[in-house]
Amino acid sequence: MRFGLDYAAGRPGGAAVQAAGFDFVVRYLSDGGPTLPGKQLTPAEADDLRAHDISIVSNWETTATRMLDGYDAGIIDARAGLAQVLRCGGRSDRPIYFSADFDSTPQDQLAINAYLEGAATVLGSANIGIYGGFWSVSRALDAGVATWSWQTGAWSGTNVETRRNIHQTSRQVVVGGVLCDVNESETIDFGQWDFVQEEPDVTPEQDAVLRDIQIQLRGPGLSGWPQLGTDAEGRNHTLVDGVAAALQRIQELAAESADLRRQIGELRTEVSELEATTADLVEEIKRLDGPHWPWPFSLIEGPADFVGEQLARLESLLPGLPGSREAEKSAEGPEVWR
């Protein structure tokens, strides 16, 4: 909500309006004549307001009941109003509010609607606004002859037109020596000249795709996916939560796998050592299972074998020793073939 002023008795100036804490004004495009010389917005005043960041909204009012003059009056006033807007540096694509500054009846509304229809032939129906009490404003909106509405507290009772863009309150203040009515904006765009409609960053199709992606990531109603489990507080995991939990479990399994590989390595070492010990035992068993002298001669089995081996070696070194197998063969003489 923004706070603004409307005034006809003088021109308080941009600095005074700004210092009083207001940031927009609704200004008259019509001449107030000798009784209200400060009523009409002038190019100099418009420049001063803009220099102090005060937004300007357009209104047309000559006499309180001017709209009862109907269709042709609407055309004449809309042409004059648009010309004054352009003289003051305004835009042709912004609305002008036309005043029904009296307590209108349903019968009066026929002429009011006709007046607004005449104005629309000049400005376009999208730029037609109405100022007045609850009933004047509501009936014009219902009839589709006005797009913008500025409701005054006068002739409204406790009724509030929820479609209104500006509310003229019953409060008044003196700013820069001028008595002013206090207004409140009800919408972001309430007809101010300096309003700029921001272009959407994405097309409707792109927005639909982004919304679908958001639902896929965060689940129906953005409340997570029941299929992915819950967190410590019982809330459903989103897809991101699920991926994070899966990665954590993979890391845990990797750590467990590394520990298992270490244990397997240790077991292999132990098995290898056991195999070597078993091989030694097998060899020992084979040795023990060979021919042995009976006890007690087995006590000298080892030394006797050693002595026999040494004697055989000595025989081989002394072939002519009497009694040896080599000497006996020599005594027999040369072998004769038969």
Side-chain angles (χ1 to χ4, degrees):
M1 179 181 293
R2 294 172 60 179
F3 298 91
L5 304 171
D6 72 271
Y7 44 87
R11 301 183 180 91
V17 173
Q18 185 183 59
F22 299 95
D23 65 2
F24 77 89
V25 295
V26 185
R27 290 295 289 125
Y28 293 98
L29 304 174
S30 55
D31 185 358
T35 59
L36 292 173
K39 179 179 179 180
Q40 186 181 51
L41 175 69
T42 65
E45 181 191 6
D47 290 342
D48 176 58
L49 291 169
R50 281 189 290 258
H52 292 88
D53 297 321
I54 307 298
S55 297
I56 302 171
V57 180
S58 302
N59 173 262
W60 178 272
E61 179 181 352
T62 51
T63 61
T65 60
R66 168 62 171 172
M67 296 180 77
L68 295 179
D69 292 338
Y71 188 88
D72 291 339
I75 295 175
I76 294 170
D77 291 350
R79 287 174 177 170
L82 179 59
Q84 186 65 13
V85 166
L86 297 177
R87 275 196 295 270
C88 294
R91 295 158 46 185
S92 60
D93 63 340
R94 295 277 73 199
I96 295 177
Y97 291 91
F98 296 90
S99 294
D101 204 359
F102 62 102
D103 189 10
S104 67
T105 67
Q107 291 73 26
D108 294 331
Q109 195 71 37
L110 296 176
I112 291 172
N113 290 352
Y115 176 97
L116 295 174
E117 289 172 342
T121 64
V122 177
L123 304 176
S125 59
N127 297 320
I128 300 300
I130 182 172
Y131 164 88
F134 173 80
W135 296 110
S136 298
V137 167
S138 296
R139 288 191 290 256
L141 292 174
D142 290 342
V145 294
T147 303
W148 305 79
S149 58
W150 176 18
Q151 182 188 354
T152 177
W155 316 298
S156 293
T158 58
N159 298 302
V160 175
E161 172 52 68
T162 58
R163 295 170 289 181
R164 67 191 183 189
N165 302 99
I166 307 174
H167 174 214
Q168 184 187 61
T169 71
S170 58
R171 188 163 66 97
Q172 293 184 314
V173 293
V174 176
V175 177
V178 178
L179 183 64
C180 306
D181 295 316
V182 175
N183 294 268
E184 300 171 350
S185 67
E186 300 283 359
T187 55
I188 295 174
D189 181 5
F190 49 94
Q192 65 271 39
W193 293 0
D194 55 358
F195 178 79
V196 178
Q197 180 67 50
E198 294 184 2
E199 292 295 329
D201 295 331
V202 296
T203 65
E205 293 77 13
Q206 292 171 329
D207 183 65
V209 171
L210 291 175
R211 289 178 181 276
D212 183 62
I213 292 173
Q214 185 182 43
I215 291 173
Q216 293 296 323
L217 290 174
R218 301 187 62 183
L222 308 183
S223 299
W225 292 98
Q227 302 94 320
L228 298 179
T230 58
D231 58 19
E233 298 179 358
R235 294 174 297 193
N236 292 332
H237 280 153
T238 65
L239 184 59
V240 175
D241 295 331
V243 171
L247 289 175
Q248 182 178 357
R249 183 56 184 156
I250 289 172
Q251 292 174 350
E252 293 172 353
L253 290 173
E256 294 174 3
S257 176
D259 185 60
L260 184 59
R261 286 195 297 271
R262 180 185 59 77
Q263 295 180 29
I264 291 173
E266 293 176 354
L267 287 173
R268 283 177 175 169
T269 300
E270 294 177 2
V271 169
S272 297
E273 293 174 352
L274 183 59
E275 288 175 344
T277 302
T278 301
D280 292 341
L281 289 173
V282 168
E283 292 299 323
E284 184 64 19
I285 290 172
K286 287 180 180 180
R287 188 184 67 77
L288 294 176
D289 284 345
H292 299 288
W293 291 5
W295 193 87
F297 298 106
S298 62
L299 296 175
I300 63 171
E301 180 179 4
D305 290 341
F306 177 74
V307 172
E309 292 174 359
Q310 295 302 317
L311 287 174
R313 181 182 179 192
L314 184 61
E315 276 188 356
S316 67
L317 295 175
L318 301 172
L321 183 67
S324 66
R325 287 189 292 273
E326 287 75 4
E328 292 175 356
K329 289 179 180 180
S330 298
E332 292 176 356
E335 182 177 359
V336 179
W337 292 89
R338 296 179 174 81

